[in-house]
Amino acid sequence: MEARYNFKEIEPKWQRRWEAGDLYRVTEDPGKPKFYCLEMFPYPSGNLHMGHVRNYSIGDVVARIKRMRGYNVLHPMGWDAFGLPAENAAIHRGIPPAQWTWSNIANMRRQLHAMGISYDWEREVATCHPNYYRWTQWLFLQMYKHGLAYRKKAAVNWCPSCATVLANEQVVDGACERCHTPVMRKDLEQWFFRITAYADRLLEDLQQLPGWPDKVKIMQENWIGKSTGAEVIFTVAGSGQEIPVYTTRPDTLYGVTYMVLAPEHPLVEELTAGTPYADPVAEFVQAARYLSALDRTATDKEKEGLFTGAYAINPVNGERVPIWIANYVLMEYGTGAVMGVPAHDQRDFEFARKYNLPVKAVIRPADGELDGAAMTAAYVADGVMFNSGPFDGVPNQAGIRKVTAYLESIGKGKARINYRLRDWLISRQRYWGAPIPMIYCDRCGIVPVPEEDLPVLLPEGVEFRPTGESPLTYCPEFVQTTCPQCSGPARRETDTMDTFVCSSWYFLRYTSPHSQEQAFKRDKVDYWMNVDQYIGGVEHAILHLMYARFFTKALYDFGLVGVEEPFQNLLTQGMVLKEGSKMSKSKGNIVSPEEIIDRYGADTARLFILFAAPPERDLEWSDQGVEGCYRFLNRVWRLVASYAEAVRQAGGPLGIKDHADRELWCLLHATIKKVTADVEERFNFNTAISAIMELVNGCYRYQDSVPEQEQNLALMGEVLRKLVTILAPFAPHIAEELWQGLGGRASVHLEAWPQYDPAALAAEEVTLVVQINGKVRDRLQVPAGLEREKIEELVLKQDKMAALLAGQQVVKIIVVPDKLVNVVARRAS
Ligand code: ANZ
Ligand code: ZN
Ligand code: ZN
């Protein structure tokens, strides 16, 4: 073995050999338990960043350990390759999106290879490849066939400068996340997936996911936003036209002092037509279009409104209340109309005070009074109904049911469940996405592209004009087609799909990535699904995970897959920080993975990433930390190199003969035990690595303290082989090289994960200090790691202790395992 750790040579060497030997290729093997380890696939932006390195290092350790533990491990990688940046590159720099994307993929694939991640590259997929998006289109058609894809006119967040539709999350403080232009609302005909049909199942089934972080489940729950209440029908004074409102508080119905419509409510124009209110109201409505839904409902946002001149009739008491419009009421939620109860809703309260609307209290504390005029904030707690006609004296929770039942009996309302979740808008007026496979025919209407005609290919050489329309619109070869039904002239849909559609099923495609006949093969999906461990950033906690869950449930209902949830366990990794803030281009605090790998090697980079913090926590970048990991690997190298030759010769039984031998032997097994528990039960890779470091220290202690001729080479050989084996998932290249140096023939990555020997652990003893009421009374030799109950039992059994405790009552026993026992006792009464 070379004396020097030469990562520059060994890393590429092993990457080539693993690849050539198909070390990480898998096929279905019914004889082995399977494990599907998946990291969120990256967008091919061009270069790996530290977030990727972290994500993939964590995933690789999990995959490698599972393999060593006898699982048949599927560990694939691919590219979430459609999306805006490619199109922007085309607009700004004239590079065709396909070319830009494929060259980025090539570069990132090379970088991933250089990290030595154990992917089955045979299964690589790219969502922008026709072999992939053909099936994305096919899945769209299945959604359409089952009534889950539909078209409607919808108000969207529109950035006039980017000329594109933005998701709510892409709107920050009312402005476009990318260019900071104020976002406006605009109506467009668009395609939707009916995810709301799955709202209840998406919510309920969260309970089937104990392996997901609670915070993610809570975010999903809030996003679905199930709310129970009632629909109450108000009528317009004069015309008698009905305006249903949605409320969670029918118990406050007697406290309504005004009504509010969303500015986009279809009645607004009608109510004001021909009145002096028409113009100012129209102006207000126009302005509201510039506010995103998020901003309009933010609690700290100033509430703005305007009287429409019309009045509504309260169905329970016939009272006339003014109808307003206000920015804080959204058309997309409930019915787009709200009954204003300023006494018991804080937003209504602020609105009423601002515009001098009356405040009428109808719920009072059980033992107190409440006067609407004197209130300084809404009273939102539970209480007793008053000022409420026949319901006076009813506790308000019961009142919710009673008022709802009463409304039902008079035909003025009904119980209703409402969800915050909206249908998924999947249309994008963009080129670089999967074309929506639909055709418009003047005679037949909307006609789906026949399945056998898929894929609808993206044309090349399109023109990019900043108009806000899909560039496909200007591509007559694409647009002009014939109707599959009547063979007459027809037009293709020019919208492409949201890239979240592509990423909602890629985990299924990995199970049969080359199939030309199907999106995925049922038997392969049945073998591999669910994903046993999914790993990725918490930024995908809501949308991607929700959409992937929705797809899986829909496909289950179509009879295409046998599981209802895609991801059994989820690990959300923390961020990589530098000087306390997230590494990002805009902050200029990026550390390039490529440079680190170049300078220290991939093993050091991986080891540092895993050592610096537990996976769920944020990780603070540290140059010294990297340096320290590099030094550690050098230390391992020198240790193994110094023994390699000698231990290759030494075989036979371990022949443990003295204290030093036993100590090393015990340390090895204690390390195996700890590392196994840390990685398997808790993903505590950082403490696992530090245990491995301790083992290396132990080996050096042995080397330094035992004279050379007396060193037990059979034992040292055993220790070093095991050391290298448990190091392998973390630092795979150096481990492989050292393994060969120690005489290993096959790859270390094919080794079984070592088992610890309980006999070795039992042999390790510790001295326990025994106290009574804090005074040291005894010392006991006990096996290390003895459980609390055993220690208590043992201590009380000692003759000496029994004598000292005679006539006393043991109140409690405090145990610090492996160190101390304190018996708290007092005179028996
Ligand atoms: C009267 C009332 C009285 C309300 C009261 C609350 C407290 P969640 O729980 O989120 O479902 N609301 C209904 N539709 C709305 C819309 N389109 N835009 C803005 N607000 C809307 O909230 C339901 C409550 O939010 C409803 O109950 C309604 O105000 C308001 F003491 O009705 B409530
Ligand atoms: Zn913009
Ligand atoms: Zn036709």
Side-chain angles (χ1 to χ4, degrees):
M1 263 186 75
E2 263 191 68
R4 201 172 62 89
Y5 170 38
N6 186 353
F7 65 86
K8 285 228 163 161
E9 196 183 301
I10 65 176
E11 292 190 348
K13 175 179 83 183
W14 286 115
Q15 286 153 16
R16 275 194 307 273
R17 291 205 195 164
W18 295 333
E19 204 62 33
D22 288 334
L23 196 60
Y24 308 120
R25 282 273 277 280
V26 273
T27 49
E28 300 68 37
D29 176 353
K32 269 187 177 176
K34 68 90 188 178
F35 191 90
Y36 188 171
C37 179
L38 183 64
E39 296 111 57
M40 291 179 182
F41 66 165
Y43 177 77
S45 54
N47 281 292
L48 288 187
H49 56 63
M50 278 302 167
H52 293 129
V53 172
R54 190 170 192 201
N55 192 182
Y56 306 140
S57 298
I58 293 168
D60 199 38
V61 175
V62 174
R64 287 178 183 277
I65 289 173
K66 288 293 174 185
R67 245 181 244 118
M68 294 173 96
R69 306 217 66 171
Y71 288 87
N72 193 30
V73 175
L74 174 55
H75 191 211
M77 179 42 71
W79 313 98
D80 189 9
F82 275 136
L84 264 185
E87 199 151 338
N88 288 337
I91 294 167
H92 300 305
R93 289 185 279 152
I95 311 166
Q99 187 191 319
W100 186 85
T101 305
W102 287 112
S103 81
N104 284 350
I105 287 177
N107 192 49
M108 288 172 76
R109 186 194 293 119
R110 180 186 58 75
Q111 293 176 324
L112 280 176
H113 275 284
M115 283 185 61
I117 313 264
S118 64
Y119 294 127
D120 178 357
W121 281 104
E122 182 69 12
R123 293 172 185 264
E124 177 180 354
V125 303
T127 58
C128 67
H129 195 289
N131 280 344
Y132 187 93
Y133 72 71
R134 165 188 184 178
W135 297 112
T136 305
Q137 293 173 335
W138 182 82
L139 288 164
F140 175 94
L141 293 178
Q142 307 314 302
M143 292 283 189
Y144 183 72
K145 213 158 75 186
H146 289 88
L148 292 178
Y150 68 95
R151 212 163 103 100
K152 75 168 179 197
K153 217 175 186 121
V156 293
N157 299 311
W158 179 260
C159 171
S161 149
C162 296
T164 193
V165 174
L166 304 174
N168 282 344
E169 301 68 45
Q170 294 171 308
V171 181
V172 177
D173 293 332
C176 170
E177 166 188 70
R178 232 168 295 118
C179 72
H180 313 292
T181 306
V183 169
M184 64 176 293
R185 318 261 297 158
K186 180 173 165 179
D187 277 328
L188 283 181
E189 280 284 347
Q190 317 224 46
W191 285 96
F192 287 82
F193 281 157
R194 208 180 296 281
I195 190 173
T196 52
Y198 285 77
D200 247 329
R201 277 162 75 188
L202 289 167
L203 181 66
E204 286 305 308
D205 292 353
L206 287 174
Q207 284 166 23
Q208 291 176 28
L209 300 173
W212 281 38
D214 286 337
K215 63 167 186 220
V216 173
K217 287 189 278 190
I218 291 167
M219 283 191 262
Q220 295 235 327
E221 212 176 295
N222 292 339
W223 189 256
I224 296 167
K226 182 175 185 171
S227 122
T228 30
E231 197 169 296
V232 183
I233 299 172
F234 282 66
T235 45
V236 178
S239 76
Q241 196 160 23
E242 297 192 338
I243 311 180
V245 304
Y246 174 71
T247 177
T248 47
R249 297 291 306 275
D251 55 318
T252 63
L253 191 47
Y254 288 81
V256 175
T257 58
Y258 65 100
M259 177 175 209
V260 203
L261 304 179
E264 305 88 341
H265 198 286
L267 266 182
V268 171
E269 222 184 295
E270 210 176 309
L271 291 178
T272 54
T275 74
Y277 297 96
D279 286 346
V281 163
E283 216 169 280
F284 184 91
V285 170
Q286 194 53 36
R289 286 178 175 260
Y290 272 96
L291 282 176
S292 74
L294 235 59
D295 287 320
R296 281 170 48 173
T297 46
T299 42
D300 56 352
K301 186 85 193 170
E302 180 75 21
K303 284 144 200 75
E304 308 276 358
L306 211 57
F307 180 43
T308 64
Y311 288 84
I313 306 293
N314 186 330
V316 287
N317 56 10
E319 256 174 43
R320 253 168 73 98
V321 295
I323 302 177
W324 285 62
I325 56 173
N327 57 5
Y328 75 93
V329 176
L330 302 177
M331 194 55 224
E332 304 86 46
Y333 191 67
T335 62
V338 172
M339 58 186 223
V341 187
H344 304 293
D345 180 280
Q346 187 57 26
R347 287 177 309 175
D348 294 349
F349 183 83
E350 286 161 24
F351 191 76
R353 285 288 189 251
K354 176 165 177 184
Y355 293 106
N356 274 319
L357 293 157
V359 177
K360 180 184 171 195
V362 292
I363 310 289
R364 58 169 175 79
D367 52 359
E369 301 289 310
L370 206 57
D371 171 15
M375 290 170 77
T376 54
Y379 176 77
V380 297
D382 280 338
V384 178
M385 295 173 72
F386 75 119
N387 279 341
S388 296
F391 298 97
D392 281 357
V394 177
N396 78 301
Q397 285 298 333
I400 291 177
R401 288 188 302 277
K402 289 193 172 168
V403 173
T404 307
Y406 174 66
L407 287 167
E408 260 165 45
S409 74
I410 60 168
K412 288 289 183 187
K414 55 178 188 295
R416 174 169 163 175
I417 290 173
N418 218 29
Y419 296 92
R420 193 158 301 279
L421 185 68
R422 299 274 74 101
D423 275 341
W424 173 10
L425 168 60
I426 61 151
S427 280
R428 295 291 179 272
Q429 292 69 47
R430 284 289 177 174
Y431 164 77
W432 193 233
I436 293 176
M438 285 289 171
I439 291 172
Y440 301 99
C441 168
D442 286 339
R443 266 200 275 173
C444 312
I446 300 179
V447 184
V449 172
E451 288 179 13
E452 58 277 14
D453 292 351
L454 297 179
V456 176
L457 284 174
L458 275 176
E460 281 168 30
V462 297
E463 228 185 298
F464 294 92
R465 299 187 203 163
T467 60
E469 284 174 296
S470 165
L472 294 173
T473 324
Y474 316 117
C475 187
E477 315 86 87
F478 178 85
V479 177
Q480 289 163 14
T481 184
T482 50
C483 169
Q485 261 169 37
C486 71
S487 304
R491 283 169 301 112
R492 281 192 194 283
E493 169 67 69
T494 54
D495 282 356
T496 54
M497 286 184 239
D498 178 5
T499 57
F500 276 123
V501 179
C502 312
S503 56
S504 289
W505 71 282
Y506 76 111
F507 45 92
L508 299 171
R509 183 68 180 172
Y510 280 142
T511 66
S512 29
H514 308 297
S515 176
Q516 296 286 342
E517 295 82 46
Q518 287 144 306
F520 42 82
K521 295 197 175 122
R522 180 64 195 263
D523 57 330
K524 309 279 181 188
V525 165
D526 284 348
Y527 177 83
W528 288 114
M529 285 298 283
N530 293 350
V531 172
D532 294 277
Q533 185 64 59
Y534 198 28
I535 305 165
V538 75
E539 66 275 15
H540 291 300
I542 298 178
L543 296 184
H544 164 58
L545 292 173
M546 188 79 79
Y547 294 150
R549 294 181 63 219
F550 161 60
F551 253 67
T552 305
K553 288 178 193 305
L555 296 179
Y556 174 87
D557 290 352
F558 304 164
L560 294 171
V561 302
V563 294
E564 286 195 67
E565 283 290 337
F567 312 124
Q568 205 57 49
N569 295 289
L570 174 69
L571 189 157
T572 51
Q573 75 200 58
M575 290 186 298
V576 181
L577 312 177
K578 178 115 189 278
E579 278 121 37
S581 53
K582 184 181 174 174
M583 276 191 191
S584 76
K585 271 208 193 95
S586 56
K587 292 210 191 71
N589 62 350
I590 301 243
V591 178
S592 136
E594 192 127 42
E595 267 168 43
I596 297 294
I597 291 174
D598 196 50
R599 213 155 130 206
Y600 299 100
D603 282 341
T604 295
R606 297 168 54 132
L607 197 71
F608 166 73
I609 285 272
L610 295 164
F611 180 54
E616 308 249 356
R617 298 268 191 77
D618 288 348
L619 178 160
E620 175 67 38
W621 184 265
S622 149
D623 293 333
Q624 297 94 302
V626 177
E627 191 66 47
C629 286
Y630 182 61
R631 273 201 309 274
F632 167 69
L633 289 183
N634 274 286
R635 221 166 122 70
V636 178
W637 181 276
R638 284 193 307 271
L639 175 71
V640 175
S642 70
Y643 282 109
E645 182 71 43
V647 303
R648 271 207 307 271
Q649 320 295 333
L654 296 187
I656 291 169
K657 55 182 188 327
D658 57 17
H659 180 70
D661 278 10
R662 177 159 298 113
E663 210 173 56
L664 184 59
W665 172 238
C666 293
L667 177 61
L668 170 66
H669 286 275
T671 306
I672 295 172
K673 183 178 182 194
K674 174 152 177 54
V675 171
T676 306
D678 282 353
V679 299
E680 280 275 285
E681 290 156 29
R682 298 180 286 270
F683 291 140
N684 277 348
F685 304 124
N686 56 330
T687 53
I689 293 167
S690 77
I692 297 175
M693 292 173 168
E694 287 298 321
L695 177 59
V696 172
N697 291 343
C699 292
Y700 273 107
R701 265 200 310 277
Y702 186 89
Q703 187 172 47
D704 294 344
S705 61
V706 179
E708 205 174 327
Q709 327 68 285
E710 287 168 36
Q711 290 182 10
N712 183 340
L713 292 176
L715 171 63
M716 188 50 95
E718 170 76 2
V719 172
L720 294 180
R721 277 188 300 271
K722 294 274 160 67
L723 162 68
V724 166
T725 309
I726 58 178
L727 182 63
F730 303 97
H733 310 86
I734 189 174
E736 188 75 296
E737 185 73 19
L738 295 175
W739 180 252
Q740 309 299 320
L742 288 167
R745 279 195 202 92
S747 169
V748 69
H749 302 295
L750 297 172
E751 281 298 294
W753 185 258
Q755 302 276 329
Y756 71 90
D757 182 349
L761 294 186
E764 198 189 17
E765 289 193 337
V766 292
T767 306
L768 210 59
V769 174
V770 182
Q771 305 174 328
I772 295 175
N773 294 333
K775 267 209 194 108
V776 178
R777 297 295 193 182
D778 202 356
R779 284 195 162 74
L780 283 178
Q781 287 294 114
V782 301
L786 201 61
E787 301 94 2
R788 273 164 202 285
E789 298 74 44
K790 294 262 169 58
I791 292 179
E792 291 181 19
E793 201 182 278
L794 191 75
V795 166
L796 295 176
K797 263 201 333 230
Q798 304 298 313
D799 291 347
K800 184 170 172 192
M801 292 297 285
L804 285 166
L805 288 169
Q808 298 200 67
Q809 194 187 342
V810 174
V811 181
K812 69 171 170 194
I813 306 176
I814 297 158
V815 179
V816 183
D818 289 357
K819 295 209 167 64
L820 176 144
V821 183
N822 182 16
V823 180
V824 182
R826 62 162 180 256
R827 286 260 132 250
S829 47

